[in-house]
Amino acid sequence: MAQHQQISLPAKLINGGIAGMVGVTCVFPIDLAKTRLQNQRSGQQLYKNMMDCLIKTVKSEGYFGIYRGAAVNLTLVTPEKAIKLAANDFFRHQLSQDGARLTVFKEMLAGCCAGMCQVIITTPMEMLKIQMQDAGRLAQQRVMPSVVTTMKMGGTSAVLSRSYNTIHAPQVVRVSALQITKELLRTKGIVGLYRGLGATLMRDIPFSVVYFPLFAHLHQLGQHSSEHPSVPFYWSFMSGCLAGSIAAVAVSPCDVVKTRLQSLKKGANEETYSGVVDCVRKIWRKEGPRAFLKGASCRALVIAPLFGIAQVVYFVGVGEFLLGYSPYNIYSA
C-alpha cells in the first residue's frame, strides 16, 4: 500500500499531462471560437456561429491564429487536470467508509472540493488565455465601424469595394502570455492574475458537482459485474464525453460571466463590469437572457472530447504503465 501511494501521484501527473495536452490540441480552435462568441455584444456581432468565427479567424490571422493562447493551456493544463482528477479521487477516498459505495451527496461533495482545488491553476490560465484569444476579435471589430458607416451613408458598391480593399486585414497585436503576466504583476500584483476568481468558482464547482457523480454512474453502467469492475476503454471515453457535455451546458451562463470579467481589453462601446453581480445585471438588461448561453454549443464540443480523452488516459492507467506499476491493457474487459 505504501508503494501504491508513492507511485500514484506521479502517475496521476503523467495521466493528467498526457490527457490535457492531447485534448487541448484537438479542441483548442473550438475553445477560441467559444471565447470570441461569448465576448461579442448584440449589435456588434462579427461572427454568426462557430464555423463563421473559425473561417474569419483563419482568413485574417492565418491557420495558427486559431491556436492563439494554446501555449498557455499546454503549459498549465498538466497541473490543472492532475489537481482536478487527483483531488476528486482523494476526497472520494476520504469520504468512503471501509470501501463502501459513496452516496450521491458524497460524490457531489467530493466533486465540489475538487472544483475548489483546481481554480488555483485554472483562474490565471484562463485569464491569460482569454486575452490572447480575444485579441483577433478586437482587431476585426475596429474595422467594422468604417464599413458600417459607409453603408449607412448610402455609398455605392464601388465605395464599399474601396473600403474593403483599404482595410484588407486587421492587424492583430502580438502579445505573449509572459508580457501580459509581467504587466499584470507590475500594475495589480498577484491579484491581477486571479481576476474573475469568484466567477471561476461559480463555474467550476457546479461543473465538478455535476460531472464527477454523473461520470461515475455512467461509467459503472459499463461494468460486466461487481466482481469484474473494469470497463472497455471506449465506454470510459463515451462516459466522459456525455458527462462533460451535460455539465458544460449546465454551467454555461457562469462561463459567459467569467469570460466577460476576465477580458481586460474592450472593444468600442463595450461596457466594463465591477463584479459578478454587475456583470449579470448588465448582460440581462442589455442583451437578454439568451446572451448567457452564448458559446454553449462550442463549450460542449470542447469539454466532451477533453474529458473523454482525460478519462480514457486516467482509467487505462498510462501513467502507471509508464512507471511500470501495473499491467497495461487498453482493451480491458
Side-chain angles (χ1 to χ4, degrees):
M1 182 62 68
Q3 184 187 10
H4 174 72
Q5 292 299 326
Q6 292 174 2
I7 296 282
S8 62
L9 182 57
K12 284 180 172 63
L13 289 169
I14 292 172
N15 288 335
I18 293 173
M21 287 187 285
V22 173
V24 166
T25 303
C26 293
V27 303
F28 193 84
I30 305 174
D31 186 63
L32 179 136
K34 177 207 69 109
T35 298
R36 294 189 177 185
L37 287 171
Q38 286 180 340
N39 262 332
Q40 67 179 4
R41 274 55 163 179
S42 299
Q44 296 179 320
Q45 294 183 343
L46 294 169
Y47 316 113
K48 299 175 183 177
N49 49 46
M50 180 186 72
M51 286 306 301
D52 183 52
C53 177
L54 293 176
I55 290 169
K56 287 180 178 176
T57 300
V58 171
K59 284 182 178 179
S60 62
E61 302 171 54
Y63 174 76
F64 290 105
I66 60 177
Y67 279 93
R68 185 175 303 280
V72 177
N73 262 31
L74 290 171
T75 302
L76 297 179
V77 75
T78 299
E80 188 217 23
K81 282 288 175 286
I83 289 172
K84 190 182 188 79
L85 297 173
N88 181 67
D89 269 5
F90 172 79
F91 288 113
R92 286 177 70 93
H93 177 72
Q94 294 298 314
L95 292 168
S96 64
Q97 297 177 350
D98 301 324
R101 182 178 174 181
L102 289 176
T103 63
V104 174
F105 174 76
K106 287 186 176 180
E107 287 181 334
M108 293 172 71
L109 183 59
C112 174
C113 295
M116 291 177 68
C117 291
Q118 77 167 89
V119 296
I120 298 170
I121 301 295
T122 304
T123 307
M125 178 181 77
E126 298 248 324
M127 178 73 179
L128 297 172
K129 181 195 72 172
I130 286 171
Q131 312 317 312
M132 302 180 76
Q133 285 182 329
D134 205 38
R137 181 190 70 88
L138 294 173
Q140 290 181 50
Q141 193 185 64
R142 286 194 291 270
V143 177
M144 192 172 71
S146 63
V147 177
V148 173
T149 302
T150 306
M151 294 176 69
K152 285 182 177 179
M153 290 176 65
T156 62
S157 58
V159 175
L160 270 174
S161 176
R162 284 198 299 273
S163 175
Y164 279 111
N165 289 334
T166 311
I167 311 171
H168 184 66
Q171 184 64 37
V172 181
V173 179
R174 309 283 179 178
V175 182
S176 69
L178 187 59
Q179 289 175 298
I180 297 172
T181 303
K182 286 180 178 178
E183 182 62 20
L184 283 171
L185 290 174
R186 185 182 66 82
T187 56
K188 300 180 183 296
I190 192 69
V191 178
L193 288 172
Y194 282 87
R195 177 170 174 166
L197 175 62
T200 306
L201 285 167
M202 280 175 52
R203 182 197 68 174
D204 288 349
I205 290 177
F207 178 91
S208 296
V209 166
V210 173
Y211 172 78
F212 283 112
L214 182 57
F215 171 78
H217 286 270
L218 290 172
H219 192 259
Q220 192 175 28
L221 293 175
Q223 297 176 0
H224 293 300
S225 65
S226 56
E227 291 79 17
H228 301 283
S230 58
V231 300
F233 78 97
Y234 62 82
W235 192 268
S236 290
F237 177 77
M238 290 191 297
S239 299
C241 286
L242 183 57
S245 59
I246 292 172
V249 173
V251 301
S252 185
C254 300
D255 190 56
V256 172
V257 173
K258 183 198 71 66
T259 299
R260 295 283 183 94
L261 286 173
Q262 289 186 321
S263 299
L264 298 177
K265 294 185 177 180
K266 307 291 183 181
N269 302 318
E270 290 184 356
E271 62 284 318
T272 57
Y273 311 105
S274 59
V276 173
V277 176
D278 181 54
C279 182
V280 171
R281 187 175 63 249
K282 285 181 178 177
I283 292 174
W284 183 280
R285 189 176 68 248
K286 296 184 179 181
E287 302 174 58
R290 291 185 62 182
F292 289 102
L293 291 177
K294 284 183 176 180
S297 58
C298 291
R299 180 162 165 76
L301 288 173
V302 168
I303 296 297
L306 193 61
F307 276 84
I309 293 168
Q311 292 297 355
V312 168
V313 173
Y314 198 72
F315 276 88
V316 165
V318 176
E320 287 81 355
F321 170 71
L322 293 175
L323 293 174
Y325 174 64
S326 63
Y328 176 61
N329 184 10
I330 195 166
Y331 295 103
S332 56

